[in-house]
Amino acid sequence: MSYSTEQIIEKLKALKVVPVIAVDDAQDILPLVKALSDNGLPVAEITFRSAAAEESIRLVRQHYTDVFILAGTVLTTEQVVAAKNAGADAIVTPGFNPKIVQLCQDLGLPITPGVNNPMSIEAALEMGIAAVKFFPAEASGGVKMIKALLGPYGNLQIMPTGGISPTNIKDYLAIPNVVACGGSWFVEKSLIKAKNWDEIGRLTREAVELVK
């Protein structure tokens, strides 16, 4: 199923938190997504920080048709094509690359590019982008910076990612323009490596409760 950007914004607003995942072994993605899904979070941002990303996206698409899949840390046009072919619903990039944005628009694939200053926001607006990732959120000034940027760019929809934790996520979500936050504290690499799906499930449930 293909989503429009508007539908994706609505979906993110309902979820409020997006697990940002890096798996080294694609086989780990199915029990991981099951742990997320069963505990109220049918969404995954599967990042191209690992070589297993494309295969992981493909597996989730085959086995969990209702899970919303974002392909994250997409840096090249090849990765865009790989993510689309594997079945990703949308693309998320750490920065703003006009070539990547253009390709996604040509393919009809929604993209949430990363920004953290007025220059990148203007570049995004120029290309008709309505929703952006604010990255790295905490290191770029966090809540204070987002509020300052919303002065001139009041219509921007924002997904902060980077340094988001249970202690600050509510502060971000309190900003009306923040649709959801990307987080990885409940899908830590060490937990995935240890195949500790029960603990991931418990932490996911806590995260869902926290953002309700």
Side-chain angles (χ1 to χ4, degrees), residues 20 45-49 70-77 79-80 90-98 100-101 104 111-117 120-121 124 131-137 139-140 158-162:
V20 180
E45 181 181 321
I46 298 170
T47 65
F48 273 81
R49 288 181 183 206
L70 299 160
T73 321
V74 172
L75 303 177
T76 66
T77 51
Q79 287 173 340
V80 170
I91 301 288
V92 182
T93 58
F96 185 84
N97 180 335
I100 301 268
V101 171
C104 288
I111 176 168
T112 304
V115 302
N116 75 343
N117 59 49
S120 48
I121 290 172
V132 294
K133 168 177 173 165
F134 182 70
F135 178 83
S140 302
I158 302 170
M159 181 169 80
T161 306

Side-chain angles (χ1 to χ4, degrees), residues 19-23 29 32-33 36 43-49 183-184 187 192:
V20 180
I21 299 165
V23 289
I29 198 70
L32 175 55
V33 166
L36 291 168
V43 56
E45 181 181 321
I46 298 170
T47 65
F48 273 81
R49 288 181 183 206
S184 54
V187 284
I192 297 170

Side-chain angles (χ1 to χ4, degrees), residues 23-67:
V23 289
D24 293 325
D25 179 356
Q27 294 309 314
D28 285 338
I29 198 70
L30 293 177
L32 175 55
V33 166
K34 184 180 182 347
L36 291 168
S37 232
D38 287 356
N39 290 284
L41 219 48
V43 56
E45 181 181 321
I46 298 170
T47 65
F48 273 81
R49 288 181 183 206
S50 93
E54 185 183 352
E55 180 61 13
S56 300
I57 292 168
R58 187 171 286 113
L59 284 170
V60 178
R61 184 74 309 142
Q62 283 167 359
H63 295 271
Y64 292 96
T65 46
D66 57 336
V67 166

Side-chain angles (χ1 to χ4, degrees), residues 51-182:
E54 185 183 352
E55 180 61 13
S56 300
I57 292 168
R58 187 171 286 113
L59 284 170
V60 178
R61 184 74 309 142
Q62 283 167 359
H63 295 271
Y64 292 96
T65 46
D66 57 336
V67 166
F68 182 53
I69 308 172
L70 299 160
T73 321
V74 172
L75 303 177
T76 66
T77 51
E78 289 78 13
Q79 287 173 340
V80 170
V81 174
K84 183 175 170 52
N85 291 344
D89 293 307
I91 301 288
V92 182
T93 58
F96 185 84
N97 180 335
K99 208 164 89 176
I100 301 268
V101 171
Q102 190 61 61
L103 176 61
C104 288
Q105 290 176 335
D106 292 346
L107 292 172
L109 190 59
I111 176 168
T112 304
V115 302
N116 75 343
N117 59 49
M119 203 162 125
S120 48
I121 290 172
E122 301 228 352
L125 293 172
E126 180 68 22
M127 292 187 79
I129 296 288
V132 294
K133 168 177 173 165
F134 182 70
F135 178 83
E138 277 292 284
S140 302
V143 167
K144 222 169 159 181
M145 180 65 160
I146 291 174
K147 285 180 174 170
L149 288 170
L150 285 171
Y153 308 112
N155 293 330
L156 213 55
Q157 302 292 303
I158 302 170
M159 181 169 80
T161 306
I164 309 286
S165 70
T167 54
N168 62 20
I169 190 166
K170 283 183 147 173
D171 299 332
Y172 281 96
L173 291 171
I175 303 168
N177 296 59
V178 168
V179 292
C181 290

